[in-house]
Amino acid sequence: MAAALLRNVSHGRLYVASAGVRKDELDPFAVSIMDELGVDISDHRPVTLEELEDWEGLNFDVIITLSPEAHHCALELTRIQACDVEYWPTPDPTAIEGSREQRLDAYREVRDLLSRRIADRFAVAEGQATQAG
């Protein structure tokens, strides 16, 4: 969700990639709540950090991690690179049980939290994003 949100507000002005610690299936709840914003992530195919490193070489200015496990993994992968790694503690909406609407609300809360963090971290004005620093 975070990568799609940043891509959406940067309008291609930033290169954004997404990866996780484990390779999972695309989450239909994430697809649904992103669709509410008009952001289509249905074609996204999750990859691991290791796969991203193999494909891209981790040539990034900053890696933003959302879980302690991902943060540790990113720090290990970037020990000898000039790359900042930021940790944004983020609740895991997959851990929420309950009705469909309760689960969707948990995803919406995470989506909105990530949107606020992106707005705080990256200067977003009139459809442009530049690195804040």
Side-chain angles (χ1 to χ4, degrees), residues 31-74:
V31 173
S32 180
I33 60 97
M34 292 300 289
D35 190 52
E36 294 173 354
L37 300 180
V39 178
D40 181 9
I41 64 169
S42 61
D43 288 335
H44 176 71
R45 296 298 164 247
V47 299
T48 65
L49 284 167
E50 288 81 9
E51 288 172 316
L52 188 64
E53 180 183 32
D54 290 343
W55 298 338
E56 311 261 348
L58 292 181
N59 295 319
F60 298 99
D61 295 321
V62 64
I63 295 173
I64 298 171
T65 61
L66 306 180
S67 72
E69 186 179 6
H71 189 68
H72 175 73
C73 186

Side-chain angles (χ1 to χ4, degrees), residues 115-126:
S115 291
R116 287 189 301 274
R117 286 182 176 163
I118 288 167
D120 289 345
R121 173 61 173 87
F122 299 90
V124 181
E126 298 180 33

